[in-house]
Amino acid sequence: MNDEDFKYVERCLTGDVEAFEEIIDKYRKPVFRLAIRMVKDFDDAEDIAQNVFIKVYERLGTFNPKYKFFSWLYRIAVNETINFCRKKNLIENLADNFESSGNNPEEAFSESELSEKIQAALIRIDFSYRLPLVLRHFLSYSYKEISEILEVPEKTVKSRLFTGRQMLKDELIISGVKTND
Amino acid sequence: MIDKQYIELMNKEIDGLLSVPESEELKNYLNQNKEAEKYFAELKVSVELLSRLPDEEPGRNLKQFILNSIDKNKYSFNKPAKIKIFSPFQKFLKPRFTFALAAGILIGIVLYPLLFTVQNNKMKNNLSGTMGVNENITELNNVTFNNSLASCKIILYKTNKEYWFKTNLIVKDNYTLKINFNPLDFVLDNVSASGNGELKINKKENAVTISGEDNSIFRLYFNRINLIPANFRISLIVKGQEQLSRLINIE
């Protein structure tokens, strides 16, 4: 376990709230980025991030130092995101909110339109394939780290990642984003 | 048709995990298979496009919201016990300490009038120091409301740094009290509540919502960010119907 994280946790467990502030400072951006890539909406992503840290704090006493703190924290973040999406019925219906447009591959997009289309394509990918994509490409985690966070074998991570990339490619083509530069 | 084995190599290449022989193998395969070459090019561009998404930053108040939402005393019972001064040499030190303290008091009683007089004379024309000042608490505004469903009194106070609402609610049904504010003007600092039944408090960057079922008293503390005129909106909903909606302006 990362020594720094371990020290923060130890300090929190002796009632030192400032140590928890250090944890928030260190992880709030990656947790928020994970959430926003999964749900797209800024306020929803902030709600998820807030709930993640509240749960982390509540459960600090159950953290097992044998494991990596960030894996434990991201597992909570992933579960919180899944629960949030279930509550808002986002897992099944999210794709419906983003209609594909502009099937012409020659269509030129402005930077913000392009970002919108990439994010929409990402959101249309099935949840279980989107998560490894987000963890790998936005948070730069290795296969092994992703397998610890998602609690699945490394082989499964690879397989989902490869399928997720294939899905992303197909979605981008459907959206009319050029992928053959 | 693209061989599954080469799809794996393509993905490893994207992840930068390909060995030199594997890289050669993939290169040869792509040279011979145009379909695979096109597929790999599209796959690489798709992944590269993800990096075009802008880095999103959480709101600047997120940390404060989290800190406001946690029970800061949850782990305080684990605080290490304070070291007792006398514990190792208690029997040895304690009588001496008691004696020294008693002697000190006696000397103090004897010397005090003498020192006080001398000091007083010296400082007669040379006074300086700091006086404690009570922070000025001002009642700014109050909102009262009464009907068959609810009786409500909300008083807004201010000190130099803070604003707070003290709210007394007498409601015999489900209610929701919502306070909307501009997060550029105020930050919700804390909510303290007591009442009958369970209170649900939902804090957002620009609003706080309190829901309950029965009589409640609570206080909401806000810190003001700037000194330009600002306002709050207070809304009370009982049994699903809005009973009160009031805008409070603060100069």
Side-chain angles (χ1 to χ4, degrees):
Chain A
M1 177 179 172
N2 181 323
D3 273 354
E4 190 183 52
D5 289 343
F6 184 60
K7 280 175 191 159
Y8 291 151
V9 174
E10 273 193 325
R11 280 172 53 201
C12 285
L13 292 174
T14 56
D16 181 353
V17 180
E18 279 178 22
F20 191 64
E21 290 188 39
E22 304 280 357
I23 291 176
I24 299 173
D25 285 340
K26 187 170 176 185
Y27 289 106
R28 78 193 153 113
K29 284 184 188 173
V31 167
F32 173 80
R33 282 177 185 156
L34 167 75
I36 197 148
R37 293 296 166 229
M38 298 304 290
V39 298
K40 191 173 183 284
D41 183 81
F42 184 91
D43 290 338
D44 287 349
E46 277 218 330
D47 284 350
I48 291 171
Q50 189 176 346
N51 289 340
V52 168
F53 283 101
I54 293 167
K55 285 195 176 151
V56 164
Y57 185 76
E58 291 290 318
R59 295 176 191 174
L60 273 177
T62 67
F63 170 68
N64 184 345
K66 258 184 9 187
Y67 301 105
K68 286 177 184 157
F69 179 74
F70 80 81
S71 303
W72 181 74
L73 184 142
Y74 282 118
R75 252 199 317 279
I76 293 175
V78 166
N79 288 334
E80 192 58 32
T81 308
I82 293 170
N83 290 340
F84 183 89
C85 291
R86 277 200 187 119
K87 268 186 211 160
K88 291 195 97 177
N89 212 15
L90 279 176
I91 290 181
E92 290 82 11
N93 298 335
L94 215 93
D96 300 339
N97 297 330
F98 298 96
E99 286 181 11
S100 301
S101 63
N103 282 330
N104 177 7
E106 299 303 315
E107 189 177 341
F109 300 122
S110 72
E111 198 62 29
S112 65
E113 278 175 321
L114 180 65
S115 297
E116 187 68 19
K117 284 195 179 273
I118 298 167
Q119 175 69 42
L122 184 65
I123 290 283
R124 278 199 295 273
I125 295 170
D126 187 277
F127 206 89
S128 55
Y129 297 102
R130 200 186 331 150
L131 257 175
L133 276 180
V134 169
L135 290 167
R136 176 81 192 127
H137 294 297
F138 294 100
L139 301 171
S140 306
Y141 285 116
S142 67
Y143 297 156
K144 187 171 182 291
E145 287 166 332
I146 298 171
S147 87
E148 284 169 5
I149 293 167
L150 300 180
E151 292 181 304
V152 294
E154 246 182 272
K155 205 179 152 192
T156 311
V157 171
K158 278 187 201 171
S159 150
R160 287 190 192 168
L161 196 54
F162 298 173
T163 311
R165 284 172 182 158
Q166 163 78 50
M167 288 171 156
L168 177 70
K169 176 177 92 69
D170 294 344
E171 287 295 343
L172 288 170
I173 290 171
I174 292 169
S175 306
V177 177
K178 277 176 87 174
T179 55
N180 54 357
D181 285 345
Chain B
M1 183 69 185
I2 303 168
D3 193 324
K4 201 179 165 189
Q5 173 202 342
Y6 289 102
I7 290 181
E8 188 169 343
L9 288 184
M10 290 175 199
N11 278 285
K12 278 178 84 175
E13 167 70 16
I14 287 170
D15 286 320
L17 300 171
L18 219 53
S19 65
V20 176
E22 283 174 328
S23 183
E24 274 303 308
E25 192 185 345
L26 178 64
K27 202 173 159 187
N28 289 335
Y29 178 74
L30 294 177
N31 282 337
Q32 292 161 16
N33 187 333
K34 289 292 152 195
E35 186 195 351
E37 191 183 35
K38 181 172 179 277
Y39 176 91
F40 181 50
E42 286 177 349
L43 202 64
K44 265 204 320 193
V45 170
S46 301
V47 171
E48 281 161 15
L49 280 170
L50 291 178
S51 64
R52 301 277 286 271
L53 287 176
D55 269 350
E56 304 266 5
E57 296 284 332
R60 60 195 168 88
N61 292 327
L62 178 64
K63 181 178 169 183
Q64 199 53 50
F65 286 140
I66 296 165
L67 291 172
N68 288 344
S69 307
I70 60 171
D71 171 10
K72 295 189 179 75
N73 295 318
K74 183 173 170 68
Y75 301 109
S76 58
F77 61 89
N78 290 336
K79 273 185 182 167
K82 285 180 184 171
I83 299 162
K84 288 179 183 170
I85 298 166
F86 297 118
S87 53
F89 306 108
Q90 197 165 4
K91 284 184 181 171
F92 174 73
L93 281 175
K94 209 170 180 179
R96 280 154 184 78
F97 179 78
T98 312
F99 175 76
L101 185 68
I105 291 169
L106 272 172
I107 292 167
I109 290 169
V110 172
L111 293 181
Y112 177 76
L114 184 64
L115 289 171
F116 183 75
T117 316
V118 172
Q119 192 76 355
N120 222 9
N121 289 337
K122 273 187 183 171
M123 294 179 71
K124 215 167 196 173
N125 300 311
N126 189 22
L127 281 172
S128 69
T130 308
M131 285 175 69
V133 180
N134 283 328
E135 199 167 20
N136 190 22
I137 300 171
T138 318
E139 184 179 324
L140 267 190
N141 209 331
N142 74 63
V143 176
T144 51
F145 172 80
N146 274 297
N147 72 5
S148 59
L149 291 173
S151 166
C152 162
K153 184 170 186 182
I154 301 167
I155 309 165
L156 175 67
Y157 295 95
K158 94 179 232 318
T159 64
N160 295 337
K161 299 169 197 162
E162 276 194 319
Y163 287 79
W164 80 85
F165 290 99
K166 183 182 169 191
T167 308
N168 291 292
L169 255 179
I170 301 171
V171 186
K172 287 178 182 163
D173 219 310
N174 290 348
Y175 73 84
T176 300
L177 184 84
K178 189 168 186 183
I179 295 170
N180 288 80
F181 53 90
N182 186 339
L184 297 176
D185 297 328
F186 299 100
V187 179
L188 178 64
D189 185 44
N190 202 2
V191 179
S192 67
S194 62
N196 303 332
E198 196 186 338
L199 279 177
K200 285 180 190 162
I201 301 169
N202 183 14
K203 300 172 199 170
K204 288 203 166 187
E205 195 181 19
N206 63 346
V208 54
T209 310
I210 300 173
S211 308
E213 298 174 344
D214 211 338
N215 304 346
S216 307
I217 300 169
F218 37 82
R219 290 178 181 207
L220 297 105
Y221 297 88
F222 296 84
N223 288 324
R224 193 165 187 181
I225 294 170
N226 54 50
L227 291 173
I228 58 171
N231 57 53
F232 291 93
R233 176 166 292 281
I234 299 175
S235 319
L236 175 67
I237 296 154
V238 182
K239 274 179 140 179
Q241 286 185 336
E242 191 171 86
Q243 305 292 325
L244 166 76
S245 179
R246 188 78 56 88
L247 192 71
I248 295 180
N249 292 309
I250 292 163
E251 292 304 314

